[in-house]
Amino acid sequence: MTIHYINTRSDLFLLYFRILVRSRMLLVLWAVFMGLDGFTAFRDAGIPNQNLAQQITAAFWAVSMTGVFVIGLPTAVVICMAFLRKNKGTLCEHRLSISEAGLTESTEYNESLNRWSGYHKTVITKNYIFLYVSEGLCHIVPKKRPLLGGDLKEFEAALVGMTHGK
């Protein structure tokens, strides 16, 4: 079973952003950093002439500004990675084939076979199929755009059949 499709910069951006927001380590660091910032602002706002409402307001604004920085900076990096780099091997036509040997991906720049024994997981969302051939590397298959060739439903069914139990 083979499908033929094209990846775009918006696909790449959504993949990078998905990785960013699903990173447990980053989420914990963000929560700790913003919590400490809010606590520090609340404590430092406790000068004698301020009431509790003013302290809470100061802490809220400190956490909000930190949140803009902590979330905005990585998002800006993701935008730069997706829209400023060439990504020749990613932003092109792809062919994905499922066989007993594994998942074969080919473009005009490369061809690779990922054996099922090393295959990590499949994530299916409303708009994409993410085929993780390792923990940090995946193929992005857009579901909303028409394929250049092949049948997406048949491909998805064959994929589930091959990876069942993974």
Side-chain angles (χ1 to χ4, degrees), residues 87-94 105-111:
N87 296 302
K88 290 192 309 186
T90 305
L91 302 174
C92 58
E93 293 183 17
H94 295 259
E105 185 252 358
S106 59
T107 70
E108 65 178 288
Y109 301 102
N110 61 37
E111 185 169 344

Side-chain angles (χ1 to χ4, degrees), residues 41-59:
F42 181 79
R43 186 194 63 209
D44 292 347
I47 53 181
N49 294 333
Q50 289 190 333
N51 62 28
L52 182 61
Q54 289 171 321
Q55 288 176 309
I56 291 172
T57 302

Side-chain angles (χ1 to χ4, degrees), residues 113-160:
L113 170 65
N114 296 282
R115 301 194 186 286
W116 295 121
S117 60
Y119 188 81
H120 187 63
K121 67 180 176 179
T122 303
V123 176
I124 300 173
T125 67
K126 185 174 104 176
N127 297 320
Y128 292 95
I129 300 174
F130 299 101
L131 307 166
Y132 286 86
V133 295
S134 71
E135 194 168 330
L137 177 66
C138 76
H139 300 294
I140 316 162
V141 180
K143 291 172 71 175
K144 293 293 182 179
R145 277 193 308 278
L147 296 176
L148 300 175
D151 184 285
L152 190 59
K153 289 193 185 300
E154 287 180 20
F155 181 83
E156 199 172 323
L159 182 65
V160 168

